Amino acid sequence: MAEFDYVIAGGGSAACVAAMRLVREVGARVLILERGPAKTSRILRMPAGYMKYLARDDYLEMHKTAAQPRLGGRAPIVPQAKVLGGGSAVNAMVYMRGQREDYDGWDRFLGNDAGWSYADLLPHFRRLERNSKFNDAYHGINGGLMVSDPGELCDTTRDFMLAAQGMGFALNPDFNGARQSGVGVMQHTMGRRNGGRMERSDAVTAFLAEILNDPRLRIVTGARVDRVLVEDGRAVGVEYRQGGTTVVARAGREVLVAAGTFNSAKLMMLSGLGPADHLRQNGLPVVLDLPGVGAGLQDHHEVPVIATTRGRSGYFGQDRGWNMLRNGLQYLLFGSGPVTTTGIESCLFYDPDGGERPTVQLYCAPIVYLDRDVSEAKPSWGVTLTSCLLRPGARGSVRLRSADPGAPPLVDANFFGDPEDLRLTIASIGRARELLATEPMAGKIAAELLPGSGVDDAGLAAYCGKTVKTNYHPVGSARMGPEGDPMAVLDARLRVRGIDGLRVIDCAAMPFIPSGNTNAPVMALASRAVDFIAGVASAGGQERASQTV
């Protein structure tokens, strides 16, 4: 008899949600295997603390993507979390679900009434959430995940929202409610637990904390899962590496893959599940030819418009010297001030072409900031408006560099691989410039630094290639698909086609990228996965994965 009913490869947001429900509601014995450490720095508990770790690899794996010819040979870095709690422990905490049309589109794609419509997922969003502001048909107040507005809004945020309204965009008090379009304040996964200071609400504190002392749960950190063990067409466990030792963990019911979009695809391929030719090229045995593993990669990407301001504005310099000490003391003593915000407080959802369904998320960052690999512009007082394309048409890939489990996968982000992605981005740059020229922003802007007022459309295309970066939302590397879809890795119940007892329950499973930040959607997806699993467990049976690949 196996020691565990379910073994989860990965310890991110999806794993935490699934483990909580499996232990508490199904009564299952669950093992979580996480390659990173068990905890982050105390600084990351503070809402503003994530900015100290954006360019560090303490809790991030920095994936250098394949060089992109259309980006002038650039190879953008796409970080992924490596810590218990995954992205929820290190991200900028934006709580965004996407659009109703996203999930209704999933459902149509998978076969109508496949169980993935907005109506199917809304109960999961609500049950996981503890919202401090909304309690209605769209929001819950009894879940573990604290959700609230930032603890502070700066002058630049308020000016941005007023200027957007001046351009004709409506103020939207709730991007996760009846509609997404408009300008407003983004809610974040933070809150004041038991009336204390504003702090991050990650998947560990939100979901695992209540079952950490349950003997049915075991968490092993510093454990890199190298292979899913398949016997007679069924996943029976995993092989993982910890402290120089190889360990086998067997699963009595199922293995759940939740290692992140890049590493979930990598793990599948290392296990002999993937494109047969690619596996053979890397000297790996082919357990099952699944050509869709590693294909279909999607990611949100963004391009900035940057301007300086005539006077002091936003949060520039608030994390250094006396300002840092003062803000830290204000947070510790009174629970208020700049430390209670992520700094990125507002955005505008809209379509540059004037359509009703937003195609761009325009963020307002109240500072001049740009990665040094693309510009010598130094942080200063100013504003950065970044156009994030919500549903890019381009598709990238994840492949093995070698059969060595310690080697990172080879990621091809393929930004602007679809010409329409570039066209929409350039159109949004134009609208962002209009916003900066609208009061009350106009009277406070000193100069446009980038791309520069004299740059034409041809120059803007080159500028986009030089500055485009990830918005940290890769999905789709082992996606669901309908019967007969040759690139579908999973069926509509997240089961790997052709292998029993194996599911993928993280962002890799998403057939199309949601129109917004992905942390909230992947938690709902993992909760939906437990619905499917619980139905089997309660019946005492085992599902048979479809053999159609």
Side-chain angles (χ1 to χ4, degrees):
M1 179 180 178
E3 183 180 356
F4 304 100
D5 298 311
Y6 300 93
V7 173
I8 306 179
S13 296
C16 293
V17 170
M20 178 271 291
R21 290 198 60 202
L22 286 170
V23 170
R24 192 177 67 180
E25 300 172 27
V26 181
R29 299 163 301 157
V30 177
L31 170 65
I32 293 177
L33 298 169
E34 165 57 44
R35 62 191 169 131
K39 296 180 180 179
T40 62
S41 163
R42 182 68 184 87
I43 293 174
L44 277 164
R45 301 301 313 160
M46 305 175 187
Y50 79 100
M51 291 183 283
K52 294 288 188 181
Y53 288 86
L54 286 175
R56 294 172 52 171
D57 61 2
D58 306 60
Y59 312 112
L60 293 170
E61 185 176 62
M62 302 295 186
H63 292 270
K64 185 176 182 181
T65 60
Q68 306 289 303
R70 67 180 58 84
L71 307 186
R74 287 179 60 222
I77 300 294
V78 183
Q80 292 280 270
K82 55 172 185 180
V83 64
L84 190 65
S88 72
V90 298
N91 65 4
M93 292 164 274
V94 173
Y95 181 80
M96 200 71 69
R97 298 173 180 175
Q99 302 167 3
R100 176 188 297 269
E101 296 95 329
D102 295 329
Y103 306 108
D104 289 347
W106 288 14
D107 203 59
R108 286 192 302 273
F109 175 68
L110 295 169
N112 288 322
D113 300 320
W116 289 101
S117 70
Y118 179 74
D120 292 316
L121 285 172
L122 181 58
H124 295 274
F125 286 119
R126 294 186 72 243
R127 75 181 294 172
L128 298 175
E129 177 188 20
R130 183 182 296 270
N131 202 297
S132 67
K133 183 177 182 179
F134 300 111
N135 180 23
D136 54 27
Y138 297 99
H139 295 282
I141 60 171
N142 297 315
L145 187 69
M146 294 190 296
V147 177
S148 74
D149 288 356
E152 179 158 309
L153 300 180
C154 72
D155 58 330
T156 305
T157 293
R158 298 181 189 279
D159 290 341
F160 170 78
M161 292 193 294
L162 289 171
Q165 291 174 75
M167 292 176 66
F169 297 108
L171 181 67
N172 188 344
D174 181 12
F175 291 128
N176 298 306
R179 61 183 175 86
Q180 187 191 63
S181 60
V183 67
V185 175
M186 298 183 292
Q187 289 212 292
H188 289 66
T189 52
M190 62 173 76
R192 302 182 188 275
R193 195 175 300 277
N194 300 320
R197 301 185 191 97
M198 185 73 80
E199 64 177 31
R200 175 188 292 271
S201 182
D202 60 31
V204 177
T205 56
F207 306 116
L208 286 189
E210 60 186 272
I211 59 168
L212 282 177
N213 295 322
D214 193 308
R216 293 171 296 188
L217 174 69
R218 184 182 176 198
I219 301 171
V220 180
T221 55
R224 186 192 68 209
V225 181
D226 291 345
R227 188 161 63 100
V228 176
L229 304 176
V230 179
E231 297 176 0
D232 298 323
R234 180 173 184 82
V236 296
V238 302
E239 184 179 278
Y240 68 93
R241 187 84 172 166
Q242 185 191 40
T245 301
T246 298
V247 183
V248 170
R250 296 186 72 85
R253 293 182 179 174
E254 294 189 20
V255 174
L256 308 178
V257 176
T261 294
F262 299 155
N263 286 312
S264 286
K266 171 188 166 182
L267 174 59
M268 295 273 288
M269 289 185 281
L270 288 174
S271 306
L273 308 172
D277 289 345
H278 180 64
L279 299 181
R280 293 189 185 104
Q281 287 169 4
N282 284 280
L284 290 165
V286 179
V287 175
L288 185 64
D289 181 15
L290 286 172
V293 173
L297 177 67
Q298 304 158 58
D299 191 10
H300 290 141
H301 50 76
E302 58 186 41
V303 172
V305 172
I306 304 176
T308 56
T309 51
R310 298 181 187 279
R312 294 171 181 263
S313 64
Y315 292 114
F316 172 66
Q318 295 300 309
D319 60 344
R320 296 181 307 200
W322 165 244
N323 286 334
M324 181 179 69
L325 294 174
R326 181 192 61 202
N327 294 333
L329 285 172
Q330 182 178 356
Y331 174 76
L332 293 173
L333 294 175
F334 306 109
S336 61
V339 178
T340 65
T341 177
T342 61
I344 315 298
E345 299 156 348
S346 178
C347 75
L348 166 66
F349 282 101
Y350 81 114
D351 177 22
D353 293 337
E356 292 186 6
R357 186 182 180 190
T359 56
V360 168
Q361 182 178 9
L362 185 68
Y363 292 97
C364 174
I367 189 174
V368 168
Y369 177 79
L370 194 64
D371 292 342
R372 288 191 176 183
D373 68 329
V374 297
S375 173
E376 293 300 318
K378 296 179 179 179
S380 178
W381 288 289
V383 61
T384 301
L385 303 184
T386 59
S387 295
C388 172
L389 196 61
L390 292 175
R391 294 179 300 280
R395 297 293 183 267
S397 64
V398 180
R399 290 289 181 257
L400 295 174
R401 291 182 188 271
S402 71
D404 176 11
L410 179 62
V411 177
D412 184 353
N414 197 28
F415 293 156
F416 299 133
D418 185 325
E420 181 66 3
D421 296 348
L422 180 60
R423 187 196 69 78
L424 271 174
T425 299
I426 291 174
S428 187
I429 288 174
R431 296 294 272 166
R433 285 167 151 176
E434 289 179 36
L435 193 150
L436 291 177
T438 301
E439 295 293 351
M441 293 293 284
K444 299 182 179 181
I445 297 300
E448 179 184 310
L449 288 181
L450 293 171
S453 57
V455 179
D456 59 14
D457 280 357
L460 286 177
Y463 170 75
C464 288
K466 183 180 179 182
T467 60
V468 66
K469 64 181 286 292
T470 180
N471 199 215
Y472 315 105
H473 302 152
V475 309
S477 62
R479 66 169 177 80
M480 292 185 282
E483 291 290 337
D485 180 352
M487 299 303 287
V489 178
L490 313 176
D491 67 12
R493 290 180 176 261
L494 301 165
R495 298 170 295 189
V496 175
R497 294 185 181 277
I499 300 292
D500 290 338
L502 182 62
R503 297 185 206 239
V504 179
I505 63 167
D506 64 5
C507 284
M510 295 179 176
F512 305 105
I513 195 165
S515 303
N517 311 67
T518 49
N519 192 44
V522 80
M523 292 181 181
L525 182 147
S527 183
R528 188 74 177 115
V530 176
D531 280 359
F532 300 141
I533 294 168
V536 179
S538 62
Q542 293 178 341
E543 289 179 302
R544 179 71 183 174
S546 169
Q547 298 300 315
T548 303
V549 295

PDB file of all heavy atoms in Angstrom, residues 67-94:
ATOM      1  N   ALA A  67      16.981  33.218 -28.032  1.00  0.00           N
ATOM      2  CA  ALA A  67      17.168  34.511 -28.700  1.00  0.00           C
ATOM      3  C   ALA A  67      16.092  34.716 -29.764  1.00  0.00           C
ATOM      4  O   ALA A  67      15.765  33.802 -30.518  1.00  0.00           O
ATOM      5  CB  ALA A  67      18.549  34.575 -29.323  1.00  0.00           C
ATOM      6  N   GLN A  68      15.540  35.927 -29.811  1.00  0.00           N
ATOM      7  CA  GLN A  68      14.427  36.233 -30.702  1.00  0.00           C
ATOM      8  C   GLN A  68      14.889  37.147 -31.838  1.00  0.00           C
ATOM      9  O   GLN A  68      15.206  38.327 -31.600  1.00  0.00           O
ATOM     10  CB  GLN A  68      13.321  36.932 -29.913  1.00  0.00           C
ATOM     11  CG  GLN A  68      12.844  36.184 -28.689  1.00  0.00           C
ATOM     12  CD  GLN A  68      12.040  34.953 -29.057  1.00  0.00           C
ATOM     13  OE1 GLN A  68      11.030  35.037 -29.756  1.00  0.00           O
ATOM     14  NE2 GLN A  68      12.506  33.804 -28.600  1.00  0.00           N
ATOM     15  N   PRO A  69      14.939  36.663 -33.068  1.00  0.00           N
ATOM     16  CA  PRO A  69      15.371  37.511 -34.192  1.00  0.00           C
ATOM     17  C   PRO A  69      14.540  38.782 -34.336  1.00  0.00           C
ATOM     18  O   PRO A  69      15.072  39.860 -34.598  1.00  0.00           O
ATOM     19  CB  PRO A  69      15.189  36.593 -35.405  1.00  0.00           C
ATOM     20  CG  PRO A  69      15.295  35.211 -34.850  1.00  0.00           C
ATOM     21  CD  PRO A  69      14.682  35.270 -33.494  1.00  0.00           C
ATOM     22  N   ARG A  70      13.227  38.678 -34.118  1.00  0.00           N
ATOM     23  CA  ARG A  70      12.376  39.862 -34.289  1.00  0.00           C
ATOM     24  C   ARG A  70      12.535  40.857 -33.148  1.00  0.00           C
ATOM     25  O   ARG A  70      12.007  41.966 -33.214  1.00  0.00           O
ATOM     26  CB  ARG A  70      10.907  39.450 -34.438  1.00  0.00           C
ATOM     27  CG  ARG A  70      10.271  38.845 -33.223  1.00  0.00           C
ATOM     28  CD  ARG A  70       8.822  38.481 -33.484  1.00  0.00           C
ATOM     29  NE  ARG A  70       8.701  37.552 -34.593  1.00  0.00           N
ATOM     30  CZ  ARG A  70       8.830  36.221 -34.481  1.00  0.00           C
ATOM     31  NH1 ARG A  70       9.108  35.682 -33.302  1.00  0.00           N
ATOM     32  NH2 ARG A  70       8.717  35.444 -35.520  1.00  0.00           N
ATOM     33  N   LEU A  71      13.274  40.447 -32.094  1.00  0.00           N
ATOM     34  CA  LEU A  71      13.584  41.361 -30.993  1.00  0.00           C
ATOM     35  C   LEU A  71      15.031  41.823 -31.066  1.00  0.00           C
ATOM     36  O   LEU A  71      15.616  42.229 -30.059  1.00  0.00           O
ATOM     37  CB  LEU A  71      13.320  40.691 -29.637  1.00  0.00           C
ATOM     38  CG  LEU A  71      11.938  40.067 -29.413  1.00  0.00           C
ATOM     39  CD1 LEU A  71      11.811  39.599 -27.966  1.00  0.00           C
ATOM     40  CD2 LEU A  71      10.818  41.027 -29.761  1.00  0.00           C
ATOM     41  N   GLY A  72      15.615  41.719 -32.246  1.00  0.00           N
ATOM     42  CA  GLY A  72      16.998  42.136 -32.410  1.00  0.00           C
ATOM     43  C   GLY A  72      17.981  41.199 -31.747  1.00  0.00           C
ATOM     44  O   GLY A  72      19.083  41.606 -31.364  1.00  0.00           O
ATOM     45  N   GLY A  73      17.589  39.926 -31.610  1.00  0.00           N
ATOM     46  CA  GLY A  73      18.478  38.937 -30.993  1.00  0.00           C
ATOM     47  C   GLY A  73      18.389  38.886 -29.481  1.00  0.00           C
ATOM     48  O   GLY A  73      19.127  38.125 -28.842  1.00  0.00           O
ATOM     49  N   ARG A  74      17.503  39.681 -28.892  1.00  0.00           N
ATOM     50  CA  ARG A  74      17.335  39.641 -27.439  1.00  0.00           C
ATOM     51  C   ARG A  74      16.804  38.291 -26.977  1.00  0.00           C
ATOM     52  O   ARG A  74      16.090  37.602 -27.704  1.00  0.00           O
ATOM     53  CB  ARG A  74      16.360  40.730 -26.962  1.00  0.00           C
ATOM     54  CG  ARG A  74      16.899  42.140 -26.994  1.00  0.00           C
ATOM     55  CD  ARG A  74      15.827  43.114 -26.535  1.00  0.00           C
ATOM     56  NE  ARG A  74      15.401  42.829 -25.175  1.00  0.00           N
ATOM     57  CZ  ARG A  74      14.136  42.863 -24.762  1.00  0.00           C
ATOM     58  NH1 ARG A  74      13.162  43.147 -25.612  1.00  0.00           N
ATOM     59  NH2 ARG A  74      13.838  42.612 -23.504  1.00  0.00           N
ATOM     60  N   ALA A  75      17.136  37.933 -25.744  1.00  0.00           N
ATOM     61  CA  ALA A  75      16.641  36.712 -25.117  1.00  0.00           C
ATOM     62  C   ALA A  75      16.056  37.101 -23.762  1.00  0.00           C
ATOM     63  O   ALA A  75      16.727  37.007 -22.735  1.00  0.00           O
ATOM     64  CB  ALA A  75      17.773  35.694 -24.946  1.00  0.00           C
ATOM     65  N   PRO A  76      14.818  37.579 -23.731  1.00  0.00           N
ATOM     66  CA  PRO A  76      14.235  38.082 -22.484  1.00  0.00           C
ATOM     67  C   PRO A  76      14.227  37.029 -21.377  1.00  0.00           C
ATOM     68  O   PRO A  76      14.064  35.831 -21.633  1.00  0.00           O
ATOM     69  CB  PRO A  76      12.804  38.451 -22.893  1.00  0.00           C
ATOM     70  CG  PRO A  76      12.862  38.683 -24.362  1.00  0.00           C
ATOM     71  CD  PRO A  76      13.889  37.708 -24.871  1.00  0.00           C
ATOM     72  N   ILE A  77      14.399  37.491 -20.147  1.00  0.00           N
ATOM     73  CA  ILE A  77      14.330  36.624 -18.979  1.00  0.00           C
ATOM     74  C   ILE A  77      12.875  36.497 -18.549  1.00  0.00           C
ATOM     75  O   ILE A  77      12.150  37.499 -18.453  1.00  0.00           O
ATOM     76  CB  ILE A  77      15.166  37.196 -17.816  1.00  0.00           C
ATOM     77  CG1 ILE A  77      16.636  37.319 -18.225  1.00  0.00           C
ATOM     78  CG2 ILE A  77      15.018  36.341 -16.561  1.00  0.00           C
ATOM     79  CD1 ILE A  77      17.323  36.000 -18.487  1.00  0.00           C
ATOM     80  N   VAL A  78      12.451  35.275 -18.264  1.00  0.00           N
ATOM     81  CA  VAL A  78      11.105  35.036 -17.733  1.00  0.00           C
ATOM     82  C   VAL A  78      11.255  34.301 -16.403  1.00  0.00           C
ATOM     83  O   VAL A  78      11.516  33.100 -16.380  1.00  0.00           O
ATOM     84  CB  VAL A  78      10.239  34.215 -18.703  1.00  0.00           C
ATOM     85  CG1 VAL A  78       8.827  34.051 -18.137  1.00  0.00           C
ATOM     86  CG2 VAL A  78      10.182  34.874 -20.080  1.00  0.00           C
ATOM     87  N   PRO A  79      11.115  35.004 -15.276  1.00  0.00           N
ATOM     88  CA  PRO A  79      11.289  34.359 -13.968  1.00  0.00           C
ATOM     89  C   PRO A  79      10.094  33.475 -13.617  1.00  0.00           C
ATOM     90  O   PRO A  79       8.963  33.753 -14.010  1.00  0.00           O
ATOM     91  CB  PRO A  79      11.388  35.532 -12.990  1.00  0.00           C
ATOM     92  CG  PRO A  79      11.520  36.765 -13.838  1.00  0.00           C
ATOM     93  CD  PRO A  79      10.874  36.433 -15.140  1.00  0.00           C
ATOM     94  N   GLN A  80      10.372  32.434 -12.863  1.00  0.00           N
ATOM     95  CA  GLN A  80       9.332  31.584 -12.279  1.00  0.00           C
ATOM     96  C   GLN A  80       9.724  31.299 -10.836  1.00  0.00           C
ATOM     97  O   GLN A  80      10.909  31.143 -10.516  1.00  0.00           O
ATOM     98  CB  GLN A  80       9.183  30.269 -13.062  1.00  0.00           C
ATOM     99  CG  GLN A  80       8.626  30.446 -14.462  1.00  0.00           C
ATOM    100  CD  GLN A  80       7.125  30.604 -14.482  1.00  0.00           C
ATOM    101  OE1 GLN A  80       6.369  29.646 -14.572  1.00  0.00           O
ATOM    102  NE2 GLN A  80       6.657  31.847 -14.391  1.00  0.00           N
ATOM    103  N   ALA A  81       8.731  31.189  -9.973  1.00  0.00           N
ATOM    104  CA  ALA A  81       8.993  31.034  -8.543  1.00  0.00           C
ATOM    105  C   ALA A  81       9.608  29.678  -8.225  1.00  0.00           C
ATOM    106  O   ALA A  81       9.327  28.675  -8.886  1.00  0.00           O
ATOM    107  CB  ALA A  81       7.704  31.207  -7.761  1.00  0.00           C
ATOM    108  N   LYS A  82      10.453  29.644  -7.196  1.00  0.00           N
ATOM    109  CA  LYS A  82      10.977  28.392  -6.645  1.00  0.00           C
ATOM    110  C   LYS A  82      10.945  28.505  -5.120  1.00  0.00           C
ATOM    111  O   LYS A  82      11.954  28.747  -4.477  1.00  0.00           O
ATOM    112  CB  LYS A  82      12.377  28.072  -7.172  1.00  0.00           C
ATOM    113  CG  LYS A  82      13.408  29.172  -6.961  1.00  0.00           C
ATOM    114  CD  LYS A  82      14.826  28.708  -7.327  1.00  0.00           C
ATOM    115  CE  LYS A  82      15.848  29.784  -6.997  1.00  0.00           C
ATOM    116  NZ  LYS A  82      17.224  29.377  -7.335  1.00  0.00           N
ATOM    117  N   VAL A  83       9.749  28.328  -4.559  1.00  0.00           N
ATOM    118  CA  VAL A  83       9.539  28.417  -3.118  1.00  0.00           C
ATOM    119  C   VAL A  83       8.147  27.860  -2.833  1.00  0.00           C
ATOM    120  O   VAL A  83       7.274  27.879  -3.707  1.00  0.00           O
ATOM    121  CB  VAL A  83       9.652  29.884  -2.632  1.00  0.00           C
ATOM    122  CG1 VAL A  83       8.558  30.755  -3.222  1.00  0.00           C
ATOM    123  CG2 VAL A  83       9.646  29.970  -1.109  1.00  0.00           C
ATOM    124  N   LEU A  84       7.938  27.336  -1.643  1.00  0.00           N
ATOM    125  CA  LEU A  84       6.610  26.876  -1.270  1.00  0.00           C
ATOM    126  C   LEU A  84       5.639  28.057  -1.332  1.00  0.00           C
ATOM    127  O   LEU A  84       5.896  29.116  -0.784  1.00  0.00           O
ATOM    128  CB  LEU A  84       6.637  26.289   0.144  1.00  0.00           C
ATOM    129  CG  LEU A  84       5.367  25.557   0.586  1.00  0.00           C
ATOM    130  CD1 LEU A  84       5.143  24.311  -0.260  1.00  0.00           C
ATOM    131  CD2 LEU A  84       5.441  25.184   2.064  1.00  0.00           C
ATOM    132  N   GLY A  85       4.537  27.850  -2.026  1.00  0.00           N
ATOM    133  CA  GLY A  85       3.608  28.949  -2.295  1.00  0.00           C
ATOM    134  C   GLY A  85       3.729  29.481  -3.704  1.00  0.00           C
ATOM    135  O   GLY A  85       2.850  30.188  -4.189  1.00  0.00           O
ATOM    136  N   GLY A  86       4.839  29.152  -4.379  1.00  0.00           N
ATOM    137  CA  GLY A  86       5.020  29.520  -5.780  1.00  0.00           C
ATOM    138  C   GLY A  86       4.903  31.014  -6.018  1.00  0.00           C
ATOM    139  O   GLY A  86       5.337  31.831  -5.209  1.00  0.00           O
ATOM    140  N   GLY A  87       4.281  31.365  -7.138  1.00  0.00           N
ATOM    141  CA  GLY A  87       4.159  32.763  -7.509  1.00  0.00           C
ATOM    142  C   GLY A  87       3.440  33.596  -6.462  1.00  0.00           C
ATOM    143  O   GLY A  87       3.723  34.780  -6.300  1.00  0.00           O
ATOM    144  N   SER A  88       2.507  33.002  -5.723  1.00  0.00           N
ATOM    145  CA  SER A  88       1.762  33.760  -4.722  1.00  0.00           C
ATOM    146  C   SER A  88       2.661  34.282  -3.615  1.00  0.00           C
ATOM    147  O   SER A  88       2.303  35.234  -2.916  1.00  0.00           O
ATOM    148  CB  SER A  88       0.654  32.898  -4.112  1.00  0.00           C
ATOM    149  OG  SER A  88       1.181  31.897  -3.255  1.00  0.00           O
ATOM    150  N   ALA A  89       3.830  33.672  -3.436  1.00  0.00           N
ATOM    151  CA  ALA A  89       4.751  34.071  -2.369  1.00  0.00           C
ATOM    152  C   ALA A  89       5.707  35.176  -2.789  1.00  0.00           C
ATOM    153  O   ALA A  89       6.338  35.795  -1.931  1.00  0.00           O
ATOM    154  CB  ALA A  89       5.556  32.856  -1.898  1.00  0.00           C
ATOM    155  N   VAL A  90       5.821  35.435  -4.104  1.00  0.00           N
ATOM    156  CA  VAL A  90       6.820  36.398  -4.584  1.00  0.00           C
ATOM    157  C   VAL A  90       6.265  37.419  -5.566  1.00  0.00           C
ATOM    158  O   VAL A  90       6.968  38.351  -5.946  1.00  0.00           O
ATOM    159  CB  VAL A  90       8.006  35.664  -5.259  1.00  0.00           C
ATOM    160  CG1 VAL A  90       8.729  34.765  -4.281  1.00  0.00           C
ATOM    161  CG2 VAL A  90       7.522  34.854  -6.472  1.00  0.00           C
ATOM    162  N   ASN A  91       5.014  37.267  -5.984  1.00  0.00           N
ATOM    163  CA  ASN A  91       4.497  38.119  -7.063  1.00  0.00           C
ATOM    164  C   ASN A  91       4.078  39.499  -6.553  1.00  0.00           C
ATOM    165  O   ASN A  91       4.212  39.818  -5.369  1.00  0.00           O
ATOM    166  CB  ASN A  91       3.335  37.416  -7.784  1.00  0.00           C
ATOM    167  CG  ASN A  91       2.119  37.214  -6.877  1.00  0.00           C
ATOM    168  OD1 ASN A  91       2.083  37.643  -5.730  1.00  0.00           O
ATOM    169  ND2 ASN A  91       1.109  36.535  -7.403  1.00  0.00           N
ATOM    170  N   ALA A  92       3.542  40.316  -7.462  1.00  0.00           N
ATOM    171  CA  ALA A  92       3.085  41.657  -7.109  1.00  0.00           C
ATOM    172  C   ALA A  92       1.660  41.655  -6.581  1.00  0.00           C
ATOM    173  O   ALA A  92       1.063  42.714  -6.389  1.00  0.00           O
ATOM    174  CB  ALA A  92       3.205  42.593  -8.309  1.00  0.00           C
ATOM    175  N   MET A  93       1.098  40.469  -6.366  1.00  0.00           N
ATOM    176  CA  MET A  93      -0.144  40.258  -5.614  1.00  0.00           C
ATOM    177  C   MET A  93      -1.419  40.748  -6.276  1.00  0.00           C
ATOM    178  O   MET A  93      -2.467  40.817  -5.623  1.00  0.00           O
ATOM    179  CB  MET A  93      -0.033  40.873  -4.208  1.00  0.00           C
ATOM    180  CG  MET A  93       0.942  40.159  -3.312  1.00  0.00           C
ATOM    181  SD  MET A  93       1.412  41.119  -1.848  1.00  0.00           S
ATOM    182  CE  MET A  93       2.762  42.099  -2.509  1.00  0.00           C
ATOM    183  N   VAL A  94      -1.397  41.108  -7.549  1.00  0.00           N
ATOM    184  CA  VAL A  94      -2.628  41.570  -8.200  1.00  0.00           C
ATOM    185  C   VAL A  94      -3.632  40.421  -8.255  1.00  0.00           C
ATOM    186  O   VAL A  94      -3.302  39.310  -8.678  1.00  0.00           O
ATOM    187  CB  VAL A  94      -2.343  42.090  -9.618  1.00  0.00           C
ATOM    188  CG1 VAL A  94      -3.640  42.399 -10.352  1.00  0.00           C
ATOM    189  CG2 VAL A  94      -1.475  43.343  -9.546  1.00  0.00           C
TER     190      VAL A  94
END
